[in-house]
Amino acid sequence: EEQLVESGGGLVQPGGSLRLSCRTSGFTFSSYWMHWVRLSPGKGLMWVSRMDSLGINIHYDDSVKGRFTMSRDNSKNTLYLQMNSLTADDTAVYYCARGDNGSLGHWGQGTLVTVSS
Amino acid sequence: DIEMTQSPSSLAASVGDRVIITCRASQDIRGYLNWYKQKPGKGPEFLIHATSSLHTGVPSRFSGSGSGTEFTLTISGLQPDDFATYYCQQSLTNPLTFGGGTKVEV
């Protein structure tokens, strides 16, 4: 059974940084595009970034470009999201998801990031 | 960016009802339309891809239709587990974009 488990969320001050992780199991991680998506209070789902199976092609939403960096370690079946220069607008539950031909076929349970002083 | 608009934003329904949710795209997305279901405190679940293809294990009471810029998700015979928020998403172009969600409640 495919499993994705996010971790690394927490409370951080504006301007601070966090690194999220997504450990996966139950599928061949190195064969799939992976995504980060967030759910903000009152704002619905927003796609954040995606990366191809080799970690070469990476795309970001304009709102996080230059501040967030997505990476992966295929030897550890793990996806990462380094988030810098955080603002209150980045407060959200962050999900990792497996890409399946443009759709998001499997999701984790999410990790909460709160940006507040 | 392609804007996705869902209606209604919420609806009240009862077990056994037929529920229809609409999703509009700001431009033709050529059928690249997916649907997800989310319950509080959980990650979204994939329901339908490419407008009308049910994901593995999704009950047949769920169906999707549409083309161009107008799409619908229909739940025929609402079950207790179906009370949730539903999102549409286009996968034609970057950035992937979602509708605002439709909350189906009692």
Side-chain angles (χ1 to χ4, degrees):
Chain A
E1 181 190 356
E2 298 88 347
Q3 288 202 341
L4 299 88
V5 179
E6 302 91 340
S7 61
L11 175 64
V12 61
Q13 292 190 335
S17 298
L18 274 179
R19 188 195 196 204
L20 307 183
S21 299
C22 170
R23 287 185 294 109
T24 72
S25 60
F27 63 97
T28 306
F29 178 72
S30 58
S31 296
Y32 288 91
W33 285 70
M34 295 295 296
H35 299 250
W36 287 99
V37 178
R38 69 188 186 188
L39 178 64
S40 304
K43 290 185 184 178
L45 291 170
M46 190 197 94
W47 173 82
V48 173
S49 62
R50 71 177 182 188
M51 167 179 280
D52 72 350
S53 59
L54 297 178
I56 296 172
N57 290 304
I58 312 172
H59 301 98
Y60 299 95
D61 185 81
D62 284 348
S63 64
V64 307
K65 204 174 290 183
R67 300 187 300 121
F68 289 13
T69 302
M70 187 176 181
S71 62
R72 66 193 294 161
D73 185 336
N74 285 347
S75 69
K76 295 182 179 178
N77 297 328
T78 302
L79 184 72
Y80 303 99
L81 186 67
Q82 176 67 42
M83 305 187 297
N84 298 331
S85 303
L86 286 162
T87 73
D89 285 344
D90 297 315
T91 294
V93 177
Y94 284 75
Y95 301 96
C96 61
R98 192 185 88 178
D100 289 295
N101 295 320
S103 56
L104 303 169
H106 296 275
W107 299 61
Q109 86 291 345
T111 187
L112 176 63
V113 172
T114 303
V115 184
S116 176
S117 55
Chain B
D1 298 1
I2 298 176
E3 187 175 344
M4 307 299 293
T5 304
Q6 281 181 243
S7 60
S9 56
S10 65
L11 64 92
S14 301
V15 172
D17 284 354
R18 183 171 182 243
V19 168
I20 298 174
I21 298 168
T22 298
C23 178
R24 279 196 184 84
S26 60
Q27 64 187 71
D28 184 352
I29 57 172
R30 290 160 38 195
Y32 287 88
L33 191 282
N34 308 308
W35 290 97
Y36 304 87
K37 165 189 172 183
Q38 185 173 30
K39 304 197 86 166
K42 297 204 168 184
E45 300 172 39
F46 184 32
L47 292 177
I48 290 173
H49 70 98
T51 301
S52 59
S53 297
L54 262 58
H55 183 53
T56 305
V58 174
S60 58
R61 64 180 179 271
F62 289 91
S63 63
S65 64
S67 64
T69 62
E70 295 251 350
F71 300 87
T72 59
L73 172 70
T74 301
I75 310 172
S76 302
L78 198 69
Q79 296 300 300
D81 186 58
D82 300 338
F83 291 97
T85 300
Y86 294 83
Y87 295 93
C88 62
Q89 173 243 329
Q90 66 81 19
S91 54
L92 176 66
T93 62
N94 268 339
L96 306 182
T97 46
F98 293 84
T102 297
K103 186 175 184 179
V104 177
E105 49 196 351
V106 177

